Amino acid sequence: MVSTERLDARALVCIAIALLTWSSAYAAIAYALASFTPGEVAFSRLAIGSLCFAALLAAKRVPLPARRDWPQLVLLGLIGLTTYHVCLNWAETRIASGTASIVICLVPAATAAVSALWLRERLSLRTWVGLGVALAGTVLVVLASGQRVEADPKALLVLVCVLASAVYFVGQKPLFARSSTLAVTAFTFFVGTLGCLPFASGLPQALAAAPWSHVAALLWLGIAPSFLGYLAWNVAVHRASASRVSSFIYLSPPIAIVIGWVWLGEVPGAMVLVGGAIVIGGVVLANARRRSAAPAATLAEACKPS
């Protein structure tokens, strides 16, 4: 099928919220890993996120998804949350952050491929070229910022994260038509938390020994990147195609550079700025639509029964 969904202002705001919170996650994970194991960090952030989702579900009286969707949601939670976060945290103890950031930027291309296979989304040549340009700009940003990049077999863990993310983003898309975005996201978080439970046996002792700053990193991970970030991202995926929304992931490294510039006074070099401009150009190209597509989308929308 050809998706007629468009990136409106609300979707763009949600993408911005997700990217801003997710851009802070890598540093917070590295900080928390000083006191906690990769599995403990994964369980903690998902458990905190689940508590936030449970409170919001109760406050808004939103029902859980229909039972017929539970098997698919269980798989998505285990793949997209349990597997993703455990592998990402473990990878951050083994490889350089620059290596991880480059590999993780394969998510948009992987999501586009899974969308084409699963949802039959036909992507234009312009979209694929835009994704390639954005990836090249991302690599330039990472290399020019001085981050260490190395060839390491442990980077395969990040490739697992890439595939898990693509399956999670695309797999939820059909479910948003039958249940609320909040209910679908919350359910996968509940499952993802249970999937990480075996890694949490030593968490009480670790919490007792950890400094407050490392515990605060866990709280931040659970509330900001997990609860706010995933909810905002899924709202955007609900409003537009998963492949188009995922292309904005390429903006994460430039956003991190800007945060460091404003917050820490780390002035980026000229090549970093050039790379950032290439990334932005690639994302714009990937999301550009032919002029003829807009009237067709408008007509299709107008013909929908009310």
Side-chain angles (χ1 to χ4, degrees), residues 14-38:
C14 288
I15 291 171
I17 293 172
L19 291 180
L20 286 172
T21 56
W22 286 353
S23 295
S24 69
Y26 297 100
I29 290 171
Y31 199 63
L33 286 172
S35 294
F36 304 98
T37 67

Side-chain angles (χ1 to χ4, degrees), residues 107-272:
V107 168
T111 302
V114 174
S115 294
L117 294 173
W118 193 337
L119 303 180
R120 298 293 186 266
E121 289 183 0
R122 290 202 301 252
L123 302 179
S124 67
L125 177 61
R126 179 186 299 177
T127 299
W128 285 109
V129 171
L131 292 175
V133 170
L135 177 59
T138 299
V139 173
L140 180 58
V141 167
V142 172
L143 294 178
S145 64
Q147 296 190 50
R148 185 165 56 94
V149 178
E150 57 188 10
D152 194 310
K154 299 180 183 67
L156 292 175
L157 286 171
V158 188
L159 286 178
V160 173
C161 296
V162 168
L163 182 58
S165 291
V167 170
Y168 180 73
F169 294 154
V170 176
Q172 293 178 104
K173 180 69 177 178
L175 302 179
F176 293 150
R178 300 195 289 269
S179 302
S180 71
T181 305
L182 173 59
V184 171
T185 311
F187 195 100
T188 59
F189 260 76
F190 299 154
V191 173
T193 302
L194 291 176
C196 288
L197 191 58
F199 302 105
S201 59
L203 185 59
Q205 294 85 351
L207 285 171
W212 167 245
S213 57
H214 293 176
V215 176
L218 293 181
L219 292 173
W220 174 261
L221 284 169
I223 295 172
S226 298
F227 173 59
L228 295 177
Y230 273 90
L231 182 57
W233 188 262
N234 284 346
V235 168
V237 171
H238 185 196
R239 301 179 71 86
S241 69
S243 56
R244 296 188 70 202
V245 173
S246 68
S247 67
F248 285 85
I249 290 177
Y250 286 129
L251 295 175
S252 290
I255 288 175
I257 297 296
V258 172
I259 291 175
W261 189 358
V262 174
W263 190 359
L264 304 177
E266 298 174 344
V267 180
M271 292 306 297
V272 172

Side-chain angles (χ1 to χ4, degrees), residues 95 98-107 155-160 162:
I95 62 177
T99 305
S101 63
I102 288 179
V103 178
I104 209 71
C105 278
L106 294 174
V107 168
L156 292 175
L157 286 171
V158 188
L159 286 178
V160 173
V162 168

Side-chain angles (χ1 to χ4, degrees), residues 4-81:
T4 59
E5 298 158 304
R6 305 179 69 181
L7 284 167
D8 56 14
R10 184 177 179 185
L12 291 173
V13 169
C14 288
I15 291 171
I17 293 172
L19 291 180
L20 286 172
T21 56
W22 286 353
S23 295
S24 69
Y26 297 100
I29 290 171
Y31 199 63
L33 286 172
S35 294
F36 304 98
T37 67
E40 290 169 351
V41 173
F43 172 80
S44 298
R45 70 177 293 183
L46 292 178
I48 294 168
S50 292
L51 290 175
C52 294
F53 277 115
L56 188 57
L57 283 175
K60 300 190 71 170
R61 298 182 179 179
V62 176
L64 290 175
R67 288 183 180 271
R68 63 174 178 169
D69 293 330
W70 286 17
Q72 183 174 340
L73 285 168
V74 168
L75 285 175
L76 291 175
L78 293 176
I79 294 172
L81 295 176

